[in-house]
Amino acid sequence: MDNATFRDFGKAAIDFVADYMENIRECDVLPSVKPGYLFDLLPNELPEKPENWQDILKDINRVIKPGITHWQSPNMHAYYPTACSFPSIVGDMISSGFSVIGFSWICSPACTELEVIVMDWLAKFLKLPQHFLHSSEGPGGGIIQGTASEAVLVAMLSAREQTVRRMKQTHPELSESDIRGKLVAYSSDQSNSCIERDALLAAVPIRLLTTDDDLVLTGDILEQAINEDIAKGFIPIICIATVGTTGTCAFDDLPSLGKVCNERGIWLHVDAAYAGAALALEEYKELRNGFELVDSLNFNLHKFLLVHFDCSAMWLKDANKVVDSFNVDRIYLKHKFEGQTQIPDFRHWQIPLGRRFRALKVWITLRTYGAEGLKAHIRKHITLAERFEKYVLADPRFELITERTLGLVCFRPKGGNKYTTDLLNSLVERKKIYLIQATYRDKNFLRFVVCGMDPKPEDIDFAWREIRDQYSMLINEEKLLTLGKTDMGAIVKQLSTDIKISANKDKEKVK
């Protein structure tokens, strides 16, 4: 493919994406294909001869698009939103053109320095404590990780290594293997599944602590678990708190957790993947309480802030602890400016060695929307969720499970769990909207999240009509079945009477 052909293909691809976004409401949010559909549509070996891009683009429509779950559809209401915007797409496209592998400053100075700048922009936007800024005095700063899973794993591995080093100094009688065999981590039973998985990858047992009645992890709950484990000879290393849990978007009690962790020398990490963006809003300023006590935190720009996957912001109070845990240098990684400035080599702050130029799409998106536009986007999601919440409250057949939080409404049909599951199955079968269910105090409920690149009030209205109408159909079907069972019972009773009469007259005939 030469430069001229690339221009044609690229322009056609942008038209394809723009058309897709413009007409996305016409697509069922869930695909209708069955597992293995693509194996029947594509050859099992790569083509021997080059193919032209026009045919390839046609095949994207023919075989790929039918197998897509449309995450940017405003009819997607499952999970949390996966952000996207045209400025972000353009930024990623240009970044792909540069093809930077930015594991050190010299590999592309703009890659590192722009990331330092935008991470400070974001820290100020969220009004985080000053020690998380690169520009402040001290060893703190921010980095763009791929996902919340990576950010939590970095924090967990760092806490593990820092604890092992400290224990080797204070308890020289213990071998390193003895120390590692006693480590334990903590989180709540409402935390994301990635936290439990990260503990497996870090080879650290984790206790998922039972939360209070509001599904919140508190300092009292954590301290009791710590005391129990210390009495058994275990060594606590980290607590992962959640601001915006997956199930109900609950907020763990950071002030009390921070107090316990700071007194015990335990690393406190905060997973604020979804709700962290709300820190920018003054009406949610109480969420900032306790962040001055945490050692690290993450939130996903690819959930709420219009920058598409993958882009998870992470901040560290003391980045030196991470660098000391991960630093492995080779002569081919060194450059003449190393150590002469405060600019970091981000390879020491992450799991992989190489890293993409993700800061470019962040920078372009932040400049295109500005702080006002970003806040307006967050508030729009909240307003639309309030609209849906009013629909639920106005229908006596439904109930809220918890109070609405940000763009999430947790609700269910009144009655047993079967009604919730049947309604969900009906909605998924129709594929017009997509929700998932979760559990709260043995009650199954539906999570309705405002998603999509450009959700509108009429999208919320459409979703509620779909939910309302499908539930009405289910109730009517149940009534018909009940009526049918009643009629059948009468018929069976009458037949039984008739048979008894016949039996008395002629037992052989009955047989």
Side-chain angles (χ1 to χ4, degrees):
M1 183 176 291
D2 59 20
N3 201 53
T5 308
F6 169 67
R7 289 179 186 274
D8 292 338
F9 191 9
K11 291 172 183 176
I14 287 179
D15 285 340
F16 174 87
V17 172
D19 290 342
Y20 168 72
M21 291 295 192
E22 190 173 25
N23 301 300
I24 197 168
R25 286 174 175 83
E26 298 175 7
C27 303
D28 288 346
V29 66
L30 287 171
S32 297
V33 300
K34 295 181 179 179
Y37 90 99
L38 198 55
F39 297 102
D40 296 328
L41 297 176
L42 295 180
N44 55 18
E45 292 182 1
L46 64 88
E48 286 292 333
K49 302 289 186 180
E51 299 184 24
N52 62 61
W53 65 264
Q54 292 91 342
D55 291 337
I56 297 170
L57 195 55
K58 288 178 184 177
D59 276 352
I60 292 176
N61 250 328
R62 182 179 69 87
V63 302
I64 302 300
K65 190 177 174 184
I68 294 293
T69 296
H70 301 287
W71 283 80
Q72 295 311 313
S73 169
N75 299 322
M76 162 68 81
H77 301 292
Y79 312 108
Y80 281 126
T82 174
C84 190
S85 67
F86 291 129
S88 179
I89 293 171
V90 171
D92 215 24
M93 181 177 65
I94 296 173
S95 174
S96 295
F98 286 142
S99 298
V100 165
I101 308 295
F103 52 77
S104 69
W105 179 88
I106 198 65
C107 288
S108 279
C111 178
T112 298
E113 295 189 17
L114 187 62
E115 188 159 337
V116 169
I117 291 168
V118 298
M119 289 305 294
D120 275 9
W121 282 8
L122 286 167
K124 294 174 183 177
F125 175 69
L126 300 178
K127 297 179 173 58
L128 296 179
Q130 287 289 314
H131 55 244
F132 288 119
L133 273 66
H134 287 280
S135 56
S136 66
E137 293 185 6
I143 178 177
I144 300 174
Q145 305 282 7
T147 64
S149 303
E150 291 179 46
V152 172
L153 183 57
V154 166
M156 193 174 291
L157 292 173
S158 301
R160 184 190 72 184
E161 295 310 304
Q162 292 298 309
T163 302
V164 169
R165 293 182 185 188
R166 184 177 70 250
M167 292 298 295
K168 286 171 70 174
Q169 292 178 349
T170 57
H171 294 275
E173 73 280 5
L174 295 177
S175 68
E176 184 169 323
S177 60
D178 288 337
I179 295 171
R180 293 186 184 276
K182 297 176 182 293
L183 303 181
V184 63
Y186 305 94
S187 192
S188 88
D189 58 4
Q190 300 300 307
S191 60
N192 189 272
S193 61
C194 76
I195 291 172
E196 190 173 3
R197 184 171 181 270
D198 284 338
L200 291 173
L201 294 172
V204 176
I206 188 167
R207 288 187 61 181
L208 299 180
L209 306 177
T210 303
T211 50
D212 66 11
D213 291 342
D214 295 319
L215 303 183
V216 171
L217 181 63
T218 66
D220 290 341
I221 296 172
L222 175 64
E223 188 160 38
Q224 180 179 345
I226 291 172
N227 289 336
E228 291 171 356
D229 286 338
I230 290 177
K232 296 175 183 177
F234 292 110
I235 305 170
I237 65 167
I238 189 172
C239 173
I240 299 99
T242 308
V243 171
T245 57
T246 302
T248 62
C249 201
F251 306 131
D252 287 343
D253 186 1
L254 293 190
S256 66
L257 292 172
K259 182 175 183 293
V260 172
C261 289
N262 286 193
E263 289 175 352
R264 304 288 191 126
I266 297 171
W267 190 298
L268 177 59
H269 179 83
V270 175
D271 175 21
Y274 169 67
L279 295 170
L281 305 181
E282 283 305 306
E283 57 265 38
Y284 286 90
K285 63 182 179 181
E286 70 277 2
L287 291 182
R288 302 172 197 152
N289 295 335
F291 271 92
E292 71 280 359
L293 302 174
V294 310
D295 295 282
S296 56
L297 69 136
N298 66 271
F299 100 96
N300 292 348
L301 281 82
H302 60 244
K303 275 194 170 63
F304 229 152
L305 279 195
L306 295 161
V307 180
H308 66 280
F309 189 86
D310 56 351
C311 192
S312 184
M314 181 184 189
W315 285 275
L316 299 152
K317 180 185 289 188
D318 186 353
N320 288 337
K321 293 180 179 178
V322 178
V323 174
D324 291 344
S325 300
F326 294 162
N327 189 5
V328 176
D329 266 331
R330 294 288 188 271
I331 190 170
Y332 50 78
L333 298 174
K334 296 184 178 299
H335 56 84
K336 67 178 183 178
F337 297 104
E338 195 172 44
Q340 295 182 21
T341 68
Q342 295 300 312
I343 298 174
D345 275 341
F346 281 127
R347 71 176 183 275
H348 300 310
W349 297 37
Q350 61 176 25
I351 303 300
L353 176 63
R355 57 197 333 270
R356 298 189 299 114
F357 196 176
R358 285 183 289 237
L360 193 62
K361 65 181 178 182
V362 177
W363 181 60
I364 292 175
T365 303
L366 297 185
R367 291 185 62 187
T368 302
Y369 286 93
E372 288 184 359
L374 296 173
K375 291 177 183 178
H377 177 74
I378 300 169
R379 290 188 174 111
K380 181 174 80 166
H381 277 232
I382 295 171
T383 300
L384 292 176
E386 289 172 344
R387 186 183 187 93
F388 183 83
E389 178 186 35
K390 289 176 182 177
Y391 278 129
V392 175
L393 292 172
D395 193 323
R397 301 174 302 171
F398 292 87
E399 63 181 347
L400 293 177
I401 290 297
T402 61
E403 293 184 1
R404 176 201 53 78
T405 307
L406 300 178
L408 172 67
V409 179
C410 300
F411 75 106
R412 74 195 298 257
K414 292 179 180 177
N417 289 337
K418 181 179 183 300
Y419 293 104
T420 300
T421 301
D422 288 349
L423 175 56
L424 177 64
N425 291 339
S426 178
L427 294 170
V428 171
E429 183 68 24
R430 281 176 52 80
K431 304 178 177 65
K432 301 301 180 184
I433 63 173
Y434 185 27
L435 288 78
I436 58 171
Q437 63 179 333
T439 304
Y440 174 65
R441 295 179 183 171
D442 298 325
K443 289 183 177 181
N444 290 2
F445 66 90
L446 300 177
R447 298 172 70 261
F448 182 93
V449 191
V450 178
C451 299
M453 193 169 87
D454 186 25
K456 299 180 184 300
E458 50 265 37
D459 298 315
I460 304 303
D461 300 343
F462 173 81
W464 176 250
R465 286 195 302 271
E466 180 73 5
I467 293 168
R468 179 200 64 194
D469 293 349
Q470 287 305 300
Y471 189 62
S472 295
M473 289 182 63
L474 287 171
I475 294 299
N476 289 335
E477 288 175 2
E478 186 176 78
K479 288 179 179 178
L480 286 173
L481 286 171
T482 302
L483 180 62
K485 288 178 181 178
T486 302
D487 291 346
M488 184 60 70
I491 292 170
V492 169
K493 184 176 181 180
Q494 184 61 49
L495 284 172
S496 178
T497 302
D498 293 344
I499 289 172
K500 287 179 181 179
I501 294 172
S502 299
N504 290 333
K505 291 181 178 180
D506 191 346
K507 293 183 179 181
E508 289 301 319
K509 187 177 180 179
V510 171
K511 290 179 181 179

